[in-house]
C-alpha cells in the first residue's frame, strides 16, 4: 500500500484560528521574536488509490473548498526573510484518534477502502528561535507529553503506529515471606499506594491461602482499596482533640454527614450515598440524581484532557445510577492560582495558572457541549496555594424513572462492556489521584491521564437510553476510577463474577491482562444482561454502531475470577476484596487559631474599595467562561447563568426545567469559601451550606426540598492538624444539614492535594469544601432573577449584618485575614430562608440577590448594573448587631443569611407582614439615575458611583479574547 | 390547532400502506409528519421534535443508519429536519462527515424530496451539513459540486464557541419558514458559524437571487459588528434558503425559544401572552405543508 500525506492549510484571507492561538501563547511565554505561526492539518493514509482519487479526497473531504487548500506530500517551509521552524505534533502510538476513525468511515462512504489512517498537526513558526525556545514551545504549548510526540524539523518521521502483540505470561508477586520493609517497597515499586497495614492484611490473606498473589490480584486490591474508591480516611475511626477536649468517632462520615441524612429520614430521598449519584424524588413519575466529582491531579498534568475526562466521567455517574438516567445539566467549579503569576515564580513541574485555566475551561466546554448537556452553574476561586494543585469539580444531574432507581444484578446475567475500547490510558488513575504530587509526576504519571472522546460517550448514551426504555438490562454502572476492576467488582460484590479478559475489545494490541483490567480508558459502561435479552439489546447497539461485548458472567460463588485465554489469572473472595481493607485509626487535632482583627482606618468614601473588590478575581464577571459553555441545549434553562437587561448579570443559581409538559423544575447552586477556612473550617463549611441554600432560595427554589452534596478537597490528612480541620468541617456539615433539614445525598473527597517542590518544600491547598445544592421549583413561572426590575420599587434587606469581616474580600484587597469569620446562626438561618421562599412563591418579590463575597455593597452594585437601574439607599434601616458600628463592616461584612429584595410599592404591606419577626429593614429604593448611592447612618455619602463604571470594573478582569 | 388538510403526496400509495397498518390511520394521515434526523453527535433532536410537535406536527427521530438502509422511509415525511449538535464530532470540519454521508448515500432521494415540494430545515450543525453537502444555497443536482465549492461555514472570528442571543432580520419573502419583515430574537451556540463565500461575485449572487434568509442585526435592526454579528459572517448572514424557498438553514436555534421562559429576560417581561419567536418558523413550516401538500 502507498503512504499518502495530505497537508491542509488555510487560504490567505481566512484566519488561522489555531495558529493565531499558538502565537498568542508563545507571546505569553515571553518569547517576542516570533512574527507569525501557520498551522496545518496533516492526514497520513495507507491506501491503494491513485493520484486522481487522492486529489479528489483532498478536494472533497479533507479540505474546505472555500477557506482551505491542500498539499499532497510534504510541503516545504515558506520562502521569505524570516527563519522558519517546522514542528509536527503526532499522537503517540496507540492513542485514540477519533478524526482518523471518521476519515476512514467517510472514505468508505465514498466507496473506497483505506488502511491505516493517522492525523497530526503541523506548525510553521516564523522568526528567530533558539533550540531551547523551540523545545519550550513544543513542550509547553504545542504538545501534551502524555499523549503526543513532537517532531522538530522538516524531515522527521512520525512514530510507527504498529505495536507488538502481547505474549501471555502469568506473573506472581511473592509477598508471603516479605518483612515490613519488603512490603512497603513492593507497594512503592508497583505504584500501589497501599500502606504497610494494608500490605500486611493482604499478606495474611495469602499466607492463609498458602499461595502468592498474581500481579492482577494485587492491583485489583490496590484499586478497590484506594482512597479514591473507598474513602478510607473519611470513614476512619478518629480521635479528635478539639481545643484540648477529646471527641471520638468510630466512623467519621457515618457519624457526621451520613448521620444527618439518616436522622432527617426524608421521604423524598430515594437513594443516598449508595449508588453512583444521590437520588431524590422529582415528581410522581420521575426522580433526579446528582453527583459532583473532582478531577484534580489529571487536570494539573493535562488541563484540557483532565477537565474533559472529568466532566465525561461525572456524566457517566448519573448514567450509571439505578437503571440509568438521562443527563440534564452540568456544573463546574474550579480553583486556580492567580492568573497574573510570573512564569519564573512557578515551582518546577507546574503549569502556569492561566494555561491551566484556559485548558480546563476548553476541556469542559468541548466535552460538555458535545454531549449536548447544558453547563448551567459554577464558580471559580483563586488562591496561590492552588498553583500546583488546581481543583476541578465537575457535576452532573440526571432525570430518571422513579421506578427504575435500583439495579438488580442476578446470577447468570452476562457482563457486557459497552462503548469505547480499552487502551493503556489512565492506568493507575485511581491510585495516582489518591497520592501526593511531586515535581516529577509530570513525567512518571503521564500514563495516568485519560483521553476522552465525547462523541463515543454520546453514542453510548443514546443507545443505553433506548435499552433502558426497552428494559433489556438488569443493572448498570460506569467504568470510572479503577476501570473494569471497580465496575465489575462492585456489580458482583454480593454474587461473584467471572471475566474472560481476552474478550475485552482493545484499542490496539499489546496490553497485558492486568492493563486490560485496570485501564481507565474513558466512555465505557458495564451492564448486566439476561442471556435471553442479548439478541435484542445487541440489535440496538449495532443499529447505531456502538460496540458492546460479552466479557463474562455473574456467578454465585462470591468470588472474583479472572481468566485470560481460559487460564485463571486471579481468584479473590469478594468479601475480602470489599470488606478486607483494614480500618484506619486517625488522630486529629483542632486548636482555635489566635488571630486578630486589623485596624483599618475609617474613610469617608469607599468607592475605590468597592471597585477593587468588584474587579478582584473571585468576584469579577465569569462571562468569558460562561459564554463558551452551551448553557441552553435541551431547551430547559429557565434561569440562565447570566441575566439582566443586557444578559450579563450574575445569576444566583440555575433553574432547569427537564420536562416539556411540566412547569416543575430543578434549581442548582453551590457555595464555597476557602478563605473562611483559614480562620475556622467549621464556620467555612456552614457558610458554604448557607450560601448554596441562599442561592437556591433567591431564584425560587423550595426551602423544604433542598438536597446537599459535599466535596472535601484537603491536604495530607495523615497530619493530625490537617485532618483536624477536615473533621471540624464534617461536624459543621452535620449541624448545617440538621438545622436546614437538608440532607446530604452524595459526596466525594480528594485528599493529599499537596505538592512537593524540588527543594523539598510543600505547597498544600487551603482546606476546600464545595457544597453543591439542588431543590425543586414548583412552577418556573414564579422564578425570580437578581437584576433590578423597575425604578421606584423598594429595596429591603432580610438578615442581620454583623461585624464579620474575617476572611472577607474587603480584607483580602487590604491583604488582611482578620479573625471575625461569619458565624451562621443555625436557628434563624432556616427561618429566613423559608420566609423568603414563601414571599417569592406569593409573587411579592421583583428581584432577589444574596449577600456573599464583598457583602452588601457588592450585592447592591450587581443588582443595579444587571438591571440597568440606580439605587439610593442609606444604612439606617440595616438590621445589625451591636458591634457592627463601622461603616466598612456595614458595607462589606460577609455575614450569612442575608437577602436583598426588591418589592413593588403596592406589595409593601404584604411583604412586611410576611417578614414580621425576622431581622429585616428597608434600605431604600430603585432609581432611574444610573447611580449607586449608599449613605451612612448619619447621612454621609459612603459610596456614590455610576453603574457603568461599576460594571466595567467587574467585567474588565476577564475581558479575555 | 385548526383543522388540517389531508396529506397529498406523490407516493400516497406507499404512505397509505404504512398508515393502514396503523390502528388510528384516519388521524395520522391528516397529520404533518416530520423526520428529525439522528446521527452520532447530534444533540438537539429532542427539542427540535418538541418544537414541531408544539406546532401541531407529528415528529419522529430516526437514525441515519435506518434511512440509508431503507431510503423509502423518507417518502413518509413532508418535512426533514437536520438538528444541531456535533455530528461525528465535527471531525475534519463542522458537519463535513455527515455531509459526505448525505452526498454519497442520500443525495438523490433528498433531491426528490425537495423537488416534490417538501421542506428541509437545518439548524446550527444541520445548517453546516446542508451547506457542505451542497443543498444550500442549493441548485439542481448537476450543479451541486459547483455550488458547494463557493460557500462555506467556518470558525467564528472570536476563535471560540459562544452561546449568546442575537436579533435576526428576515431578508426574503420567498422562504416558506419565514414571516417577512418580522425581526426575531434567538440564541446561537456554536464555534463555527461564520458564513463566507469564495469571492464577491458569489456573495452578489446570494443577494440578487434572494438566498439570504436572515441577517444578524442589533436591537434596532441595524447591521453591525460583534457581538450583534456573533461570528463575523459576511453580510451578517445568519441563514440561507435555496432557490425554492423550501430549504432553510440557519445558525441560531429556533427550537430553543418555543416558550417564553426560555427568553433570557423573561423575568423582566411585562406581557406573558406573547408567543416565543422560534415558534414562527415551525408554525410556518407546518402550515405550508397543510396548505400545499
Amino acid at each position: 500500500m502507498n503512504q499518502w500525506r495530505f497537508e491542509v492549510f488555510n487560504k490567505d484571507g481566512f484566519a488561522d484560528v489555531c495558529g493565531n492561538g499558538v502565537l498568542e501563547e508563545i507571546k505569553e511565554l515571553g518569547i517576542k521574536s516570533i512574527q507569525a505561526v501557520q498551522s496545518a492539518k496533516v492526514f497520513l493514509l495507507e491506501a491503494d488509490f491513485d493520484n486522481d482519487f487522492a486529489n479528489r479526497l483532498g478536494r472533497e473531504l479533507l479540505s474546505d473548498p472555500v477557506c482551505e487548500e491542500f498539499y499532497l506530500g510534504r510541503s516545504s517551509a515558506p520562502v521569505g526573510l524570516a527563519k522558519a521552524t517546522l514542528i509536527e505534533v503526532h499522537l503517540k502510538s496507540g492513542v485514540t484518534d477519533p478524526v482518523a476513525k471518521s476519515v476512514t468511515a467517510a472514505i468508505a462512504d465514498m466507496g473506497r477502502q483505506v488502511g491505516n489512517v493517522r492525523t497530526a498537526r503541523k506548525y510553521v513558526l516564523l522568526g528567530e528561535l533558539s533550540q531551547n525556545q523551540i523545545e519550550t514551545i513544543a513542550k509547553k504549548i504545542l504538545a501534551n507529553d502524555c499523549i503526543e510526540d513532537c517532531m522538530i524539523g522538516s524531515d522527521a518521521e512520525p512514530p510507527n503506529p504498529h505495536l507488538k502483540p502481547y505474549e501471555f505470561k502469568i506473573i506472581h508477586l511473592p509477598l508471603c515471606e516479605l518483612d515490613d520493609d519488603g512490603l512497603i517497597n513492593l507497594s512503592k515499586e508497583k505504584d500501589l499506594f497501599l500502606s504497610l497495614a494494608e500490605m500486611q492484611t493482604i499478606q495474611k490473606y495469602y499466607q492463609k491461602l498458602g499461595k502468592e498473589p498474581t500481579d492482577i490480584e494485587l492491583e485489583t486490591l490496590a484499586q478497590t482499596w484506594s482512597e479514591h474508591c473507598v474513602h478510607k480516611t473519611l470513614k476512619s475511626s478518629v480521635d479528635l482533640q478539639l481545643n484540648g477536649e477529646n471527641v471520638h468517632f468510630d466512623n467519621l462520615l457515618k457519624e457526621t454527614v451520613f448521620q444527618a441524612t439518616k436522622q432527617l429520614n426524608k421521604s423524598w430521598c430515594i437513594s443516598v450515598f449508595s449508588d453512583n449519584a444521590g437520588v431524590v424524588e422529582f415528581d410522581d413519575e420521575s426522580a433526579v440524581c446528582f453527583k459532583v466529582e473532582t478531577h484534580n491531579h489529571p487536570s494539573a498534568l493535562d488541563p484540557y484532557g483532565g477537565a474533559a475526562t472529568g466532566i465525561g466521567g461525572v456524566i457517566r455517574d448519573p448514567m450509571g445510577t439505578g437503571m440509568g438516567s438521562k443527563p440534564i445539566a452540568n456544573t463546574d467549579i474550579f480553583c486556580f492560582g492567580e492568573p497574573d503569576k510570573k512564569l519564573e515564580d512557578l515551582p518546577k513541574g507546574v503549569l502556569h495558572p492561566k494555561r491551566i485555566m484556559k485548558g480546563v475551561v476548553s476541556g469542559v466546554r468541548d466535552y460538555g457541549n458535545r454531549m449536548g448537556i447544558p453547563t448551567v452553574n459554577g464558580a471559580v476561586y483563586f488562591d496561590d496555594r492552588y498553583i500546583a494543585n488546581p481543583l476541578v469539580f465537575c457535576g452532573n444531574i440526571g432525570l430518571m424513572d422513579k421506578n427504575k432507581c435500583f439495579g438488580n444484578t442476578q446470577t447468570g446475567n452476562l457482563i457486557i462492556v459497552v462503548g469505547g475500547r480499552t487502551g493503556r490510558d489512565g492506568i493507575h488513575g485511581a491510585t495516582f489521584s489518591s497520592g501526593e504530587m511531586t515535581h516529577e509526576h509530570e513525567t512518571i504519571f503521564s500514563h495516568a491521564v485519560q483521553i476522552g472522546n465525547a462523541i463515543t460517550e454520546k453514542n453510548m448514551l443514546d443507545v443505553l437510553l433506548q435499552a433502558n426504555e426497552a428494559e433489556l438490562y438488569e443493572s448498570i454502572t460506569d467504568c470510572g476510577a479503577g476501570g473494569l476492576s471497580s465496575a465489575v467488582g462492585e456489580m458482583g460484590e454480593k454474587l461473584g463474577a467471572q471475566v474472560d479478559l481476552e474478550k475485552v475489545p482493545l484499542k490496539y494490541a499489546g496490553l497485558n491482562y492486568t492493563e486490560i483490567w485496570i485501564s481507565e480508558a474513558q466512555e465505557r459502561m458495564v451492564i448486566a444482561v439476561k442471556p435471553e435479552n442479548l439478541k435484542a439489546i445487541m440489535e440496538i447497539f449495532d443499529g447505531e454502531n456502538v460496540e458492546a461485548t460479552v466479557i463474562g458472567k455473574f456467578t454465585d460463588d462470591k468470588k472474583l475470577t479472572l481468566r485470560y485465554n481460559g487460564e485463571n489469572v486471579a481468584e479473590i473472595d469478594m468479601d475480602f476484596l470489599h470488606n478486607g481493607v483494614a480500618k484506619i485509626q486517625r488522630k486529629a487535632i483542632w486548636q482555635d487559631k489566635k488571630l486578630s482583627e486589623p485596624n483599618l482606618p475609617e474613610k469617608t468614601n469607599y468607592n475605590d474599595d468597592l471597585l477593587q473588590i468588584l474587579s478582584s478575581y473571585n468576584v469579577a464577571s465569569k462571562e468569558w467562561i460562561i459564554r463558551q459553555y452551551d448553557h441552553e441545549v435541551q431547551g430547559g434553562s429557565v434561569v440562565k447563568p447570566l441575566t439582566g437587561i443586557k444578559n450579563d448579570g450574575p445569576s444566583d443559581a440555575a433553574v432547569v426545567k427537564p420536562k416539556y409538559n411540566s412547569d416543575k423544575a430543578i434549581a442548582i447552586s453551590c457555595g464555597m469559601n476557602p478563605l473562611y477556612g483559614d480562620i475556622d473550617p467549621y464556620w467555612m463549611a456552614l457558610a458554604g451550606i448557607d450560601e448554596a441554600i441562599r442561592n437556591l432560595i433567591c431564584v425560587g427554589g423550595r426551602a423544604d426540598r433542598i438536597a446537599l452534596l459535599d466535596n472535601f478537597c484537603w491536604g495530607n490528612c495523615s497530619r493530625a492538624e490537617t485532618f483536624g480541620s477536615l473533621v471540624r468541617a464534617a461536624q459543621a456539615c452535620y449541624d448545617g444539614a440538621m438545622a436546614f433539614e437538608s440532607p446530604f445525598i452524595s459526596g466525594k473527597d480528594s485528599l493529599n492535594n499537596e505538592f512537593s517542590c524540588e527543594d523539598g518544600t510543600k505547597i498544600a491547598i487551603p482546606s476546600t469544601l464545595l457544597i453543591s445544592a439542588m431543590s425543586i421549583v414548583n412552577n418556573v413561572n414564579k422564578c425570580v432573577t437578581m437584576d433590578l426590575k423597575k425604578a421606584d420599587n423598594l429595596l429591603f434587606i432580610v438578615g442581620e449584618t454583623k461585624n464579620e469581616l474575617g476572611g472577607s474580600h474587603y480584607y483580602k484587597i487590604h491583604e488582611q485575614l482578620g479573625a471575625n469569620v461569619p458565624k451562621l446562626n443555625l436557628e434563624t438561618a432556616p427561618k429566613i430562608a423559608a420566609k423568603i421562599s414563601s414571599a417569592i412563591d406569593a409573587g411579592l418579590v421583583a428581584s432577589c440577590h444574596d449577600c456573599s463575597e464583598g457583602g452588601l455593597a457588592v450585592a447592591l452594585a450587581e443588582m443595579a448594573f444587571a438591571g440597568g437601574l440606580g439605587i439610593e439607599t442609606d444604612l439606617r434601616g440595616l438590621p445589625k448587631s451591636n458591634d457592627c458600628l463601622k461603616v466598612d463592616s456595614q458595607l462589606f461584612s460577609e455575614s450569612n443569611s442575608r437577602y436583598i429584595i426588591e418589592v413593588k410599592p403596592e406589595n409593601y404591606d404584604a411583604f412586611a407582614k410576611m417578614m414580621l419577626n425576622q431581622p429585616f429593614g428597608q434600605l431604600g429604593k430603585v432609581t432611574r439615575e444610573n447611580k449607586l448611592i449608599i449613605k451612612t447612618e448619619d447621612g454621609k455619602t459612603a459610596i456614590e458611583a455610576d453603574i457603568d463604571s461599576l460594571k466595567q470594573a467587574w467585567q474588565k478582569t476577564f475581558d479575555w479574547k | 390547532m385548526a383543522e388540517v388538510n389531508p396529506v397529498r403526496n406523490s407516493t400516497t400509495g406507499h404512505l397509505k400502506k404504512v398508515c393502514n397498518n396503523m390502528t388510528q390511520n384516519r388521524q395520522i394521515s391528516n397529520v404533518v409528519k416530520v423526520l428529525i434526523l439522528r446521527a452520532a453527535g447530534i444533540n438537539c433532536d429532542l427539542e427540535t421534535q418538541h418544537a414541531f410537535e408544539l406546532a401541531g406536527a407529528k415528529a419522529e427521530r430516526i437514525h441515519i443508519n435506518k434511512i440509508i438502509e431503507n431510503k423509502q422511509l423518507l417518502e413518509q415525511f413532508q418535512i426533514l429536519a437536520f438538528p444541531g449538535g456535533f455530528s461525528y464530532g465535527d471531525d475534519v470540519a463542522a458537519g463535513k462527515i455527515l455531509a459526505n454521508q448525505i452526498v454519497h448515500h442520500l443525495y438523490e432521494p433528498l433531491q426528490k424530496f425537495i423537488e416534490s415540494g417538501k421542506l428541509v430545515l437545518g439548524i446550527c450543525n444541520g445548517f453546516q451539513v446542508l451547506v457542505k453537502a451542497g443543498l444550500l444555497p442549493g441548485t439542481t443536482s448537476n450543479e451541486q459540486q459547483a455550488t458547494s465549492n463557493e460557500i462555506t461555514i467556518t470558525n467564528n472570528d472570536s476563535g471560540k464557541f459562544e452561546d449568546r442571543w442575537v436579533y435576526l432580520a428576515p431578508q426574503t419573502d420567498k422562504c416558506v419558514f419565514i414571516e417577512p419583515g418580522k425581526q426575531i430574537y434567538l440564541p446561537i451556540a456554536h464555534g463555527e458559524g461564520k458564513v463566507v463565500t469564495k469571492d464577491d461575485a458569489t456573495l452578489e449572487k446570494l443577494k440578487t437571487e434572494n438566498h439570504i434568509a436572515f441577517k444578524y442585526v442589533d436591537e434596532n435592526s441595524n447591521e453591525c459588528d460583534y457581538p450583534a454579528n456573533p461570528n463575523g459572517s459576511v453580510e451578517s448572514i445568519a441563514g440561507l434558503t435555496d432557490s425554492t424557498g423550501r430549504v432553510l438553514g440557519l445558525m441560531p436555534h429556533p427550537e430553543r425559544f418555543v416558550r417564553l421562559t426560555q427568553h433570557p429576560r423573561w423575568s423582566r417581561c411585562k406581557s406573558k401572552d406573547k408567543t416565543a419567536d422560534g415558534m414562527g418558523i415551525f408554525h410556518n413550516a407546518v402550515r405550508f405543508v397543510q396548505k400545499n401538500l
Side-chain angles (χ1 to χ4, degrees), chain A residues 303-554:
Chain A
Y304 180 85
T309 51
I311 190 77
V314 82
I315 291 168
R316 289 194 301 278
D317 279 321
M319 279 172 69
T321 295
M323 291 297 280
S325 71
K326 174 179 179 278
I328 54 165
N330 292 330
T331 65
D332 60 354
I333 292 89
F334 310 134
C335 300
F336 302 122
E338 297 200 337
D340 55 2
K341 199 94 185 152
K342 280 192 189 140
L343 261 178
E344 50 270 30
D345 294 341
L346 296 175
K348 192 184 164 194
V350 165
L351 300 174
H352 191 274
K354 191 168 180 181
R355 181 167 180 222
I356 294 180
M357 180 171 166
K358 283 185 164 179
V360 164
V361 169
S362 315
V364 171
R365 172 194 69 199
D366 287 354
Y367 208 106
N369 292 356
R370 277 172 162 68
M371 283 301 291
I373 303 167
T375 302
V376 294
N377 181 256
V380 194
Y381 211 90
F382 297 89
D383 187 303
D384 275 344
R385 288 169 290 175
Y386 295 117
I387 202 117
N389 279 100
L391 303 183
V392 173
F393 301 87
C394 296
N396 182 267
I397 295 179
L399 183 75
M400 63 208 294
D401 277 0
K402 215 165 127 186
N403 57 10
K404 286 188 183 174
C405 293
F406 298 93
N408 176 27
T409 314
Q410 305 130 44
T411 298
N413 287 172
L414 302 171
I415 304 172
I416 298 186
V417 58
V418 188
R421 290 190 157 211
T422 298
R424 216 167 253 136
D425 34 340
I427 292 205
H428 284 150
T431 43
F432 153 71
S433 69
S434 304
E436 238 172 63
M437 305 257 292
T438 74
H439 66 279
E440 286 175 339
H441 262 87
E442 203 183 358
T443 43
I444 297 174
F445 273 97
S446 62
H447 56 76
V449 173
Q450 305 104 339
I451 298 135
N453 178 7
I455 300 305
T456 305
E457 183 144 310
K458 176 72 169 84
N459 289 345
M460 177 171 75
L461 170 64
D462 289 350
V463 290
L464 283 172
L465 289 175
Q466 293 170 44
N468 180 4
E469 211 182 311
E471 303 191 343
L472 291 172
Y473 58 83
E474 309 307 306
S475 65
I476 181 167
T477 198
D478 67 308
C479 279
L484 286 170
S485 162
S486 292
V488 176
E490 270 169 39
M491 286 171 91
E493 184 180 345
K494 302 273 184 299
L495 300 170
Q498 179 183 308
V499 176
D500 292 307
L501 292 167
E502 78 283 356
K503 290 188 178 154
V504 176
L506 303 181
K507 292 179 179 178
Y508 38 84
L511 270 74
N512 65 41
Y513 58 83
T514 304
E515 289 173 317
I516 295 171
W517 183 237
I518 64 170
S519 157
E520 292 180 14
Q522 297 291 292
E523 290 97 25
R524 300 175 303 161
M525 305 279 293
V526 176
I527 51 175
V529 175
K530 285 183 179 164
E532 59 265 37
N533 289 333
L534 182 64
K535 190 167 168 277
I537 203 168
M538 292 305 281
E539 259 167 37
I540 293 179
F541 296 155
D542 292 345
E544 302 192 7
N545 316 102
V546 173
E547 194 160 30
T549 313
V550 178
I551 60 166
K553 60 175 191 240
F554 291 103

Side-chain angles (χ1 to χ4, degrees), chain A residues 566-781:
Chain A
E567 245 182 279
N568 268 19
V569 293
E571 194 182 287
I572 314 174
D573 290 308
M574 282 290 188
D575 185 51
F576 179 67
L577 181 60
H578 290 285
N579 305 313
V581 59
K583 204 165 178 188
I584 312 182
Q585 308 269 344
R586 279 273 159 91
K587 286 217 180 322
I589 299 173
W590 177 258
Q591 192 67 47
D592 285 343
K593 293 183 183 173
K594 290 190 176 62
L595 298 163
S596 61
E597 282 287 294
N599 197 4
L600 296 177
E602 194 117 12
K603 297 197 280 191
T604 51
N605 181 295
Y606 287 91
N607 277 7
D608 287 345
D609 300 80
L610 175 58
L611 288 167
Q612 223 180 314
I613 296 172
L614 282 170
S615 49
S616 66
Y617 288 122
N618 291 339
V619 176
S621 169
K622 307 297 182 304
E623 185 169 351
W624 178 81
I625 298 175
I626 295 165
R627 292 237 178 268
Q628 294 189 60
Y629 298 152
D630 192 338
H631 46 262
E632 300 184 273
V633 63
Q634 298 190 12
S637 304
V638 172
V639 175
K640 304 179 205 288
L642 295 167
T643 190
I645 192 151
K646 298 272 183 208
N647 304 342
D648 57 5
S651 283
D652 289 287
V655 176
V656 171
K657 182 175 105 70
K659 290 179 162 186
Y660 295 131
N661 57 1
S662 159
D663 277 333
K664 214 165 188 179
I666 300 155
I668 306 154
S669 71
C670 61
M672 184 166 79
N673 267 300
L675 273 177
Y676 301 166
D678 290 341
I679 301 174
D680 189 338
Y682 178 83
W683 297 113
M684 165 185 82
L686 283 175
I689 292 171
D690 191 68
E691 185 185 7
I693 290 178
R694 286 195 311 266
N695 285 330
L696 293 179
I697 297 296
C698 282
V699 296
R702 275 172 62 170
D704 61 343
R705 282 297 307 274
I706 295 168
L708 301 173
L709 284 79
D710 64 79
N711 282 86
F712 288 86
C713 284
W714 247 254
N716 184 346
C717 284
S718 57
R719 267 197 317 267
E721 292 76 14
T722 306
F723 193 41
S725 77
L726 187 148
V727 177
R728 280 291 280 165
Q731 286 182 304
C733 286
Y734 172 80
D735 292 346
M738 290 306 290
F740 283 103
E741 293 193 35
S742 300
F744 281 90
I745 59 163
S746 168
K748 198 87 197 196
D749 57 273
S750 161
L751 308 180
N752 298 317
N753 285 291
E754 298 196 7
F755 184 85
S756 300
C757 302
E758 208 175 7
D759 63 2
T761 53
K762 291 205 172 187
I763 308 174
I765 62 159
S767 304
T768 307
L769 173 66
L770 168 68
I771 299 291
S772 304
M774 135 174 110
S775 186
I776 302 290
V777 171
N778 279 346
N779 179 352
V780 290
N781 296 297

